[in-house]
């Protein structure tokens, strides 16, 4: 019990002292997961919208695959990516292994199916009358699709929040392809794993608390946007 | 400039169920035409086809203004609009709902705001312009639907049961709007209704739809 309490006290002390190492780790996490979010969102929102609004061969298969990939084991993604990126692998020549780029790639692979699947459901659940209404008002097919996507914006935003949550809290893949190199590829989750292993609970806890705070902040921000944009709605 | 719409032998069936069977009719420009007929006789189907939202199985439609017949395409589609019986409301403010048609036509923001505000006054919803449109009552939503259609200044306007299932006050407001549009004569209006006394209040041009055909009442 003592050590837990002690750990919390030290953790707060670390956070309040704006410890340099802590800050670097936080920034690296945000950089990696932020980049992954942007890339996975562009791809995922496009894919989710396309599969919701268009019919094409193998569409249903694609939707099933995307859905199944929402629960991809991250260590497996890490392992496969490792094999592809390692020097003897097909993409070894790019020398991406143990770089932030490899970590971003891993997180994109994990977040993309989540964002695509949830966007698909969000766009699909928009009342068909929205598309028809846009058409009656003179929308081109593209503009009508845009109106539908706009109507699904809160669902899409929560898809992005879920995708970011998956990216930033992920540890297995990032540890394998990033290598947890101090000052270079060390992020919050890999630090927690390492420091816990070393018995350095204070730093691990401090980072855990920051990780928690980041995810609470993002959820609050999302909630506020939703509240503000639907203001006047009883 | 208001459009004349000529139907030539228009037919439509849904899975062997013949709804429209060889309709021919001319809706003259600048007038208000009222389409009546039993429930399920195909009025809404005809309106969707005339508003270029659906294709007939056979037959043709011709749209013409003073300068002759118009090509079917986006430009023509943007001179025509249909207000659905149950108005589709975008999850946004009343203002943004009205601005939609102008926005997709790339009308500059200043002009857009001016026209939307003017229309909001006309339909009596200016005080609710910043409210989310999903909070409107069904009568207000119907007015929003009509205002959203009128603000794009259509040359051919379809109203599908604009006052079905709304209260008397809103019905009177909407009838007043339609009569004002009719007076102005800038738009050809084709509307459906169940209510024969309403039809008589609004226009002398009443058309009966029966067995997939049109005829004067
Ligand atoms: N999209 C559709 N698919 C199949 N049947 C339809 C469709 N739309 C309308 N119908 C059928 O066509 C008939 C005419 O419908 P409708 O045009 O809505 O009539 P009205 O507006 O005169 O009440 C009805 O029997 C209806 O069930
Ligand atoms: Mg109908």
């Amino acid at each position: 019990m003592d050590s837990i309490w002690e750990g919390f006290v030290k953790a707060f002390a670390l956070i309040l002292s704006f410890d340099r190492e802590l800050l670097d780790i936080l920034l690296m996490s945000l950089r990696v997961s932020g980049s992954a979010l942007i890339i996975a969102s562009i791809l995922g929102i496009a894919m989710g919208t396309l599969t919701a609004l268009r019919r094409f061969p193998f569409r249903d298969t694609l939707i099933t695959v995307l859905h199944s990939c929402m629960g991809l084991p991250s260590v497996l993604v890490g392992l496969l990516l490792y094999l592809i990126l390692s020097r003897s692998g097909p993409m070894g020549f790019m020398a991406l292994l143990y770089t932030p780029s490899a970590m971003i790639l891993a997180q994109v692979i994990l977040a993309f199916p989540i964002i695509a699947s949830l966007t698909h459901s969000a766009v699909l659940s928009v009342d068909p009358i929205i598309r028809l209404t846009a058409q009656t008002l003179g929308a081109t097919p593209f503009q009508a699709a845009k109106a539908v996507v706009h109507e699904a914006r809160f669902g899409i935003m929560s898809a992005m929040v879920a995708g970011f949550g998956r990216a930033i809290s992920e540890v297995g893949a990032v540890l394998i392809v990033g290598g947890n190199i101090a000052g270079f590829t060390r992020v919050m989750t890999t630090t927690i794993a390492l420091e816990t292993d070393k018995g350095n609970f204070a730093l691990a806890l401090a980072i855990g608390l920051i990780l928690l705070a980041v995810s609470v902040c993002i959820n609050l921000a999302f909630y506020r946007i939703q509240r503000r944009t639907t203001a006047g709605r009883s | 400039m208001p459009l004349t719409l000529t139907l030539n032998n228009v037919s439509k069936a849904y899975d062997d169920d013949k709804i429209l069977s060889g309709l021919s009719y001319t809706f003259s420009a600048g007038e208000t035409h009222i389409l009546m007929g039993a429930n399920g006789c195909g009025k809404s189907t005809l309106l969707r086809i005339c508003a270029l939202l659906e294709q007939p199985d056979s037959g043709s439609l011709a749209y013409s203004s003073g300068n002759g017949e118009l090509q079917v395409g986006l430009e023509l589609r943007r001179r025509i609009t249909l207000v659905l019986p149950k108005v589709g409301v975008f999850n946004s403010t009343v203002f943004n709902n009205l601005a939609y048609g102008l926005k997709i036509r790339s009308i500059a923001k200043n002009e857009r705001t001016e026209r939307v505000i003017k229309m909001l006054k006309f339909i009596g919803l200016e005080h609710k312009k910043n409210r989310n449109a999903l909070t409107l009552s069904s009568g207000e939503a119907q007015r929003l639907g009509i205002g959203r259609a009128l603000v794009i200044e259509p040359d051919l306007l379809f109203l599908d049961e604009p006052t079905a299932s709304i209260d008397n006050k809103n019905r009177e407001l909407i009838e007043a709007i339609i009569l004002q549009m009719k007076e102005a004569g800038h738009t050809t209006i084709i509307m459906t209704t169940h209510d024969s006394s309403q039809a008589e209040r609004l226009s002398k041009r009443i058309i009966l739809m029966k067995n997939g055909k049109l005829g004067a009442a």
Side-chain angles (χ1 to χ4, degrees), chain A:
Chain A
M1 278 313 278
D2 257 11
S3 72
I4 293 182
W5 179 242
E6 208 177 303
F8 268 109
V9 173
K10 281 191 189 158
F12 275 112
L14 266 175
I15 293 171
L16 294 176
S17 69
F18 291 99
D19 182 76
R20 179 73 220 198
E21 192 190 356
L22 206 61
L23 212 62
D24 282 346
I25 293 169
L26 170 65
L27 290 178
M28 179 52 72
S29 269
L30 292 177
R31 201 186 115 194
V32 168
S33 300
S35 308
L37 173 67
I38 292 169
I39 298 169
S41 294
I42 293 169
L43 300 174
I45 292 169
M47 177 68 82
T49 305
L50 206 67
T51 50
L53 297 181
R54 285 263 186 174
R55 329 197 129 267
F56 48 85
F58 302 111
R59 185 186 69 152
D60 294 344
T61 317
L62 182 62
I63 294 165
T64 312
V65 169
L66 284 174
H67 219 83
S68 318
C69 287
M70 283 174 78
L72 269 183
S74 70
V75 273
L76 179 63
V77 170
L79 173 62
L80 294 176
L81 205 54
Y82 181 92
L83 294 174
I84 293 169
L85 297 181
S86 66
R87 205 174 301 172
S88 54
M91 280 172 70
F93 66 94
M94 293 177 80
L96 289 178
L97 201 60
Y98 303 134
T99 65
S101 300
M103 297 155 75
I104 293 171
L105 197 56
Q107 294 189 354
V108 168
I109 294 171
L110 293 167
F112 166 75
I114 294 178
I115 297 179
S117 294
L118 297 181
T119 297
H120 172 86
S121 313
V123 173
L124 212 58
S125 69
V126 172
D127 192 332
I129 203 170
I130 292 297
R131 200 179 190 176
L132 187 61
T133 298
Q135 283 168 348
T136 65
L137 294 168
T140 61
F142 181 72
Q143 287 172 332
K146 246 176 84 177
V148 173
V149 171
H150 190 254
E151 207 64 16
R153 63 196 177 279
F154 298 121
I156 293 173
M157 264 190 250
S158 73
M160 290 169 67
V161 170
F164 185 76
R166 169 81 156 156
I168 202 163
S169 65
E170 189 285 321
V171 54
V174 150
L175 194 57
I176 297 173
V177 301
N180 195 31
I181 302 165
F184 186 51
T185 60
R186 183 162 291 178
V187 289
M188 293 195 280
T189 51
T190 55
T191 312
I192 293 176
L194 179 79
E195 299 300 326
T196 305
D197 227 28
K198 290 200 306 198
N200 188 357
F201 299 120
L203 185 57
L205 266 174
I207 289 172
L209 289 171
I210 293 173
L211 191 55
L212 197 64
V214 167
S215 88
V216 168
C217 285
I218 284 165
N219 279 287
L220 279 179
F222 169 60
Y223 181 71
R224 286 205 43 172
I225 292 171
Q226 193 167 3
R227 277 293 300 263
R228 185 162 357 122
T229 339
T230 51
R233 217 178 142 180
S234 43

